[in-house]
Amino acid sequence: MGFVQIVSHWLAWVFLLSEWAIRLVMLAVVPFRRTPAAAKGWLLLIFFEPWIGLLLYVLIGRATMPRPRIEQMARVPQALAKVRERLLKHPNIFHPELSPGLEWTGYLAEKLGRMPTFAGNAAEIMVDYDAIFARLVTDIDRAKNHVHLLYFLFIADAATAPVIAALGRAVERGVVCRVLVDSLGSRSGLHILIPKLTALGVEVREMLPVGRFRSKRKRLDLRNHRKIAIIDGRIAFTGSQNLVAADFVGGVTYEELVLRLTGPVVLQLQYIFATDWFLETNGALESGNIFPDPEITGLIPIQALASGPDFPIQNNQRFIVALIYAARKQVKITTPYFIPDEPMLQALQTAALRGVDVHLIVSETGDQVLVSWAQRSYYKELLEAGIKVHLYQTSFLHAKLLTIDDHIGLVGTSNMDIRSFVLNAEHILVIHDPGMTGRLKTEQSRYISNCRSLDLQQWRQRPFRLKLAEHLARLASPLL
């Protein structure tokens, strides 16, 4: 045996032993502080491809937040303590009586997200993509003190050009404009967006920055998925729509739902923005101009529920599961991505078995192939439990809303998937109002009228190759 063959032989043994060492070590490491489903997904990857799995785990798989982030988050309450103290004592901040039997919902949301229900709000449902941009531009042009934008995806394109121009005009009037964009979500366009906004005098920061020399932000999988626009602390926009053209993904046109809000709840969204700004800049936004005296503009009780890896538990998942178990008549979920964890899947199945009319509204076609396959793998279980699955035909329905009976509606940025429950910074608005809930249900009925409803027998007859692809994708669902 020649020298080269000997070296190759030993290298092969070293490689083989290293793979088994990785498998055995990670068998002890991966399950730590992780759900069984997530642990199963990581271990499956590592056992098949040890070195690739280890590399991905180091990049995106660790179960703890980076220490600098934990320490910075711990300083938020003190940095914004004066704001909370002043606002909670204001006469226009009061907690309304909620629907009988549902008082606990406001209490639970407050315990999870630390924000109470505020009465006195007005809300407008907006679904026209271009009209949402136009209304935002109009409000920015009327701004007198500040404009705050926090978006997962903000791209400088033809659709957002009027928004960027409005920010420039606002700066010229002396209005302070601050923009937060997710580093990875907006990565493809940051090299254009940031210089353009900076040249206009806009203060812009990347959220959760990623890069070779950004060692304090090593978790590439932790993203800020929120979408909030605030003008003068008086007007807010939030919902599913990013700042990007509706057709930014080839072959897909996005359809959205956004709320334009006025009233005290705007200050809760402002608090979320101020928290994220502090986490990225160490600067506390606490002045009376940033948090003006709240105004009563309507009759709707609303509270914001923030969630994400900065919180000790999965706020949005816990609250939504609790609502599903509490439903008595109907549950309607509209989401672009449906990859539930086991508790949510069981809650939906149990609700249907109790006689609750449960509907899931998702798009027929997706914008992410692997996610779409994994999502489809759940339809059979849902249909067998009596849950109605509706596939939207008109466009890619990106709206994110949920209605429970006739009393509670949820609108926000959170998808019904494991990523939104565990890894993304998200928020939802909890709307404790039958009238507003009815308007949201009207939108969901409109969606259903443009859907193809699945039939269990027909779904069972789909080709085996599709079933195989769907269930293989499902194995990776905790990692998506």
Side-chain angles (χ1 to χ4, degrees):
M1 184 179 294
F3 177 75
V4 174
Q5 290 177 312
I6 293 173
V7 171
S8 299
H9 177 77
W10 280 105
L11 285 177
W13 272 104
V14 169
F15 184 73
L16 178 63
L17 291 173
S18 71
E19 286 192 324
W20 275 105
I22 292 171
R23 291 184 181 108
L24 293 174
V25 170
M26 298 307 284
L27 188 61
V29 171
V30 169
F32 182 69
R33 295 184 61 185
R34 183 172 279 105
T35 64
K40 178 183 67 177
W42 278 110
L43 289 174
L44 186 66
L45 174 61
I46 289 167
F47 266 70
F48 273 102
E49 290 290 348
W51 279 105
I52 295 175
L54 178 62
L55 177 61
L56 288 174
Y57 186 86
V58 169
L59 289 174
I60 66 173
R62 289 164 298 163
T64 57
M65 290 285 290
R67 183 170 296 278
R69 178 81 177 190
I70 295 173
E71 294 172 350
Q72 185 79 334
M73 188 66 184
R75 291 193 289 269
V76 170
Q78 182 179 359
L80 299 177
K82 293 180 181 178
V83 170
R84 291 183 62 89
E85 182 179 359
R86 179 173 65 84
L87 290 179
L88 292 177
K89 292 180 179 179
H90 195 280
N92 282 352
I93 296 294
F94 60 95
H95 310 319
E97 292 186 8
L98 303 182
S99 300
L102 295 174
E103 299 88 350
W104 63 268
T105 58
Y107 177 78
L108 175 60
E110 183 176 352
K111 290 290 288 185
L112 292 169
R114 306 164 194 164
M115 294 187 188
T117 305
F118 284 174
N121 305 287
E124 176 184 353
I125 300 172
M126 306 186 71
V127 297
D128 184 288
Y129 205 101
D130 294 333
I132 293 168
F133 279 155
R135 190 70 173 278
L136 178 60
V137 167
T138 298
D139 286 331
I140 293 174
D141 280 334
R142 293 173 178 170
K144 297 179 179 179
N145 181 264
H146 66 269
V147 175
H148 291 163
L149 303 180
L150 188 167
Y151 282 86
F152 173 71
L153 181 58
F154 188 173
I155 301 295
D157 57 24
T160 61
V163 177
I164 294 172
L167 291 173
R169 293 191 295 270
V171 171
E172 290 177 355
R173 298 194 308 272
V175 175
V176 177
C177 296
R178 301 179 179 93
V179 173
L180 289 170
V181 292
D182 185 78
S183 180
L184 198 59
S186 301
R187 190 172 183 80
S188 63
L190 288 180
H191 65 290
I192 297 175
L193 178 69
I194 291 179
K196 182 172 290 191
L197 292 178
T198 302
L200 293 173
V202 177
E203 299 179 44
V204 56
R205 298 289 188 279
E206 292 180 58
M207 295 181 290
L208 297 165
V210 296
R212 183 178 303 174
F213 303 108
R214 291 162 172 177
S215 60
K216 293 184 179 181
R217 298 291 190 269
K218 294 180 180 178
R219 290 289 301 273
L220 299 180
D221 56 335
L222 301 182
R223 306 309 336 144
N224 193 313
H225 193 242
R226 294 172 178 144
K227 302 153 187 72
I228 300 173
I230 300 169
I231 294 89
D232 290 341
R234 304 287 186 190
I235 299 169
F237 292 74
T238 193
S240 62
Q241 185 165 321
N242 287 290
L243 294 181
V244 67
D247 58 354
F248 77 100
V249 174
V252 177
T253 301
Y254 285 70
E255 185 171 339
E256 312 285 357
L257 185 142
V258 169
L259 296 184
R260 181 183 183 273
L261 302 151
T262 59
V265 74
V266 172
L267 300 179
Q268 293 191 355
L269 293 173
Q270 185 81 293
Y271 190 90
I272 293 174
F273 179 92
T275 297
D276 286 340
W277 186 263
F278 180 78
L279 290 174
E280 301 304 339
T281 69
N282 204 36
L285 304 176
E286 57 178 352
S287 70
N289 290 329
I290 301 296
F291 290 92
D293 291 337
E295 296 179 342
I296 302 301
T297 61
L299 300 173
I300 304 175
I302 307 177
Q303 69 188 125
L305 174 59
S307 62
D310 291 315
F311 290 86
I313 59 177
Q314 302 167 22
N315 290 353
N316 51 2
Q317 184 264 8
R318 295 289 181 96
F319 188 71
I320 292 169
V321 168
L323 284 182
I324 293 170
Y325 275 116
R328 293 295 175 262
K329 296 192 303 181
Q330 189 177 74
V331 174
K332 282 186 176 181
I333 296 175
T334 305
T335 181
Y337 313 110
F338 181 79
I339 302 179
D341 58 5
E342 198 65 26
M344 173 162 287
L345 184 60
Q346 290 178 353
L348 290 169
Q349 292 168 323
T350 302
L353 292 172
R354 287 190 287 111
V356 176
D357 185 25
V358 182
H359 297 258
L360 174 66
I361 306 166
V362 291
S363 288
E364 174 89 63
T365 57
D367 61 345
Q368 301 177 42
V369 175
L370 191 60
V371 173
S372 296
W373 283 349
Q375 174 174 300
R376 289 160 57 93
S377 73
Y378 291 93
Y379 294 166
K380 177 174 174 289
E381 294 168 75
L382 299 176
L383 293 168
E384 287 177 340
I387 296 167
K388 302 172 182 67
V389 179
H390 309 280
L391 304 183
Y392 195 69
Q393 306 287 296
T394 307
S395 57
F396 181 69
L397 186 58
H398 194 242
K400 311 163 197 290
L401 64 150
L402 181 151
T403 55
I404 301 290
D405 296 337
D406 298 318
H407 301 284
I408 295 180
L410 304 183
V411 175
T413 66
S414 181
N415 301 309
M416 299 296 170
D417 63 5
I418 297 170
R419 166 161 289 280
S420 285
F421 295 156
V422 180
L423 300 175
N424 288 344
E426 307 275 10
H427 69 273
I428 54 178
L429 294 180
V430 185
I431 302 168
H432 306 272
D433 181 72
M436 187 66 184
T437 301
R439 289 156 59 192
L440 292 172
K441 291 178 69 173
T442 298
E443 292 298 324
Q444 291 179 310
S445 296
R446 179 176 64 83
Y447 296 150
I448 292 175
S449 70
N450 291 307
C451 283
R452 175 175 72 90
S453 296
L454 282 184
D455 175 79
L456 177 58
Q457 296 305 319
Q458 291 180 351
W459 184 250
R460 285 172 172 165
Q461 294 170 10
R462 69 195 187 282
F464 173 77
R465 67 179 185 280
L466 294 180
K467 296 178 183 179
L468 179 62
E470 292 160 6
H471 285 84
L472 288 176
R474 179 168 175 165
L475 290 175
S477 61
L479 315 181
L480 297 177

